[in-house]
Amino acid sequence: MATARVLTAANTSCLISKTTSFRAKQSPYSNTSLCFTRRRAASLSSSSSSRRPFNCTAIYNPDVQIKEEGQPETLDYRLFFVDRSGQKVSPWHDIPLQVGDGVFNFVVEIPKESSAKMEVATDEPHTPIKQDTKKGKLRYYPYNINWNYGLLPQTWEDPSLANNEVEGAFGDNDPGDSRRKIGEILKVKPLAALAMIDEGELDWKIVAISLDDPRASLVNDIDDVEKHFPGTLTAIRDWFRDYKIPDGKPANKFGLGNKAANKDYALKVITETNESWAKLVKRSIPAGDLSLA
């Protein structure tokens, strides 16, 4: 199960790059300000001690700060979100999805031009951001990602639902362009959607633009992306298609004719995954290992 993932772009803030064991690969699109996000699901324990009531809208309008624990690029590193009282909150559950007037909150997990595979820890209390692991080792992309990448809060791709428009693929169980900071919350406008199919699981990528980008007022749908950021949608698709190939895995596939869908389709995807999240937190759907705290 996954939350909606987004790629966003904004050229108003800069981020210090994380040192990785891989050399940055320069992209011809590295100066754009688009960003994207994907829907991901959080995997947290549903023990009675962690249960608390949720509703399908924001619990509050959060004024949050980030709190780091441990050293970056270690197994112990966690980036928590805390409110003004110092209480930990969940970036998946407690940050509202919608701001209003077609604007959505976007939580940065992986800054542009970095390769450490950071993500919300959906199986830990308060769902902090951590570096993903495989067989006990920290995970990195084989080369830097060229856009800011993160999640849309309060969304979830239900793995029990097949999407007949995308070759019957099921959700993957998961909740863009100056470089932004891990944990930064941006206000974005969705522009397009890519239906990536990763080992048979549907993993939506929502392309969006940050409102603080100077071109935000000019970019309102997929055609505007091609006009003001030519080649970017193809570059995003190709990056996600090929990033597993250096590890000896096959290329990912894409539904919807291998093309990006327009803004209306992206909004439809966001609405559907928000509805799935609402069912999850109301426990209409078994949470399994997903944390609802």
Side-chain angles (χ1 to χ4, degrees):
M1 298 176 237
T3 62
R5 287 298 194 237
V6 175
L7 292 154
T8 82
N11 39 13
T12 56
S13 75
C14 111
L15 229 160
I16 296 173
S17 135
K18 290 172 69 72
T19 303
T20 72
S21 58
F22 297 95
R23 196 135 183 75
K25 182 184 267 189
Q26 191 63 10
S27 163
Y29 309 101
S30 61
N31 292 323
T32 67
S33 66
L34 284 175
C35 51
F36 71 86
T37 128
R38 75 169 185 175
R39 296 175 173 267
R40 294 181 55 195
S43 145
L44 289 172
S45 116
S46 54
S47 64
S48 59
S49 62
S50 66
R51 290 189 177 183
R52 59 189 173 92
F54 283 83
N55 58 40
C56 303
T57 58
I59 298 173
Y60 56 89
N61 184 19
D63 178 7
V64 298
Q65 296 180 331
I66 58 174
K67 178 183 178 183
E68 294 179 289
E69 296 185 6
Q71 293 298 313
E73 298 191 68
T74 67
L75 295 173
D76 296 329
Y77 178 76
R78 298 292 185 275
L79 187 147
F80 287 94
F81 291 70
V82 298
D83 63 19
R84 282 190 288 181
S85 70
Q87 296 295 311
K88 291 177 180 177
V89 297
S90 165
W92 183 30
H93 300 305
D94 294 336
I95 304 297
L97 170 62
Q98 298 193 48
V99 178
D101 296 325
V103 177
F104 297 80
N105 280 320
F106 161 75
V107 181
V108 178
E109 293 170 301
I110 305 175
K112 174 185 173 179
E113 302 305 341
S114 64
S115 65
K117 195 174 186 303
M118 308 300 294
E119 63 179 24
V120 166
T122 57
D123 57 352
E124 297 183 11
H126 308 296
T127 62
I129 294 175
K130 70 171 186 178
Q131 189 167 350
D132 191 24
T133 60
K134 187 173 184 179
K135 297 181 179 179
K137 295 184 178 181
L138 297 172
R139 295 186 66 187
Y140 295 87
Y141 289 120
Y143 34 75
N144 283 5
I145 192 166
N146 304 131
W147 306 271
N148 296 299
Y149 184 69
L151 70 103
L152 291 175
Q154 298 184 338
T155 63
W156 181 60
E157 289 174 359
D158 186 346
S160 68
L161 298 179
N163 188 319
N164 294 327
E165 295 178 87
V166 190
E167 303 175 19
F170 289 78
D172 73 345
N173 194 32
D174 282 334
D177 240 84
S178 66
R179 198 166 178 232
R180 310 309 287 247
K181 296 180 180 179
I182 298 175
E184 190 172 354
I185 301 172
L186 306 179
K187 292 178 174 58
V188 303
K189 293 191 300 185
L191 303 170
L194 285 161
M196 190 177 89
I197 302 172
D198 182 357
E199 298 180 2
E201 293 184 337
L202 179 59
D203 188 359
W204 287 107
K205 308 299 181 187
I206 308 297
V207 180
I209 189 165
S210 176
L211 293 191
D212 61 9
D213 185 275
R215 288 166 285 187
S217 63
L218 303 175
V219 183
N220 296 294
D221 209 331
I222 190 169
D223 292 338
D224 298 327
V225 178
E226 287 302 323
K227 179 179 179 181
H228 295 280
F229 303 96
T232 297
L233 292 173
T234 298
I236 291 171
R237 183 200 63 198
D238 291 353
W239 195 97
F240 280 98
R241 181 192 65 197
D242 298 339
Y243 79 90
K244 291 186 176 181
I245 293 177
D247 294 330
K249 296 182 179 180
N252 288 318
K253 298 180 180 180
F254 286 84
L256 303 178
N258 208 36
K259 296 180 180 179
N262 64 14
K263 175 181 179 178
D264 287 342
Y265 201 101
L267 292 174
K268 173 176 173 283
V269 170
I270 294 170
T271 297
E272 289 174 351
T273 52
N274 176 245
E275 290 171 352
S276 292
W277 171 84
K279 292 176 182 177
L280 180 70
V281 297
K282 289 191 294 184
R283 296 170 178 80
S284 301
I285 299 173
D289 291 333
L290 297 177
S291 171
L292 302 181

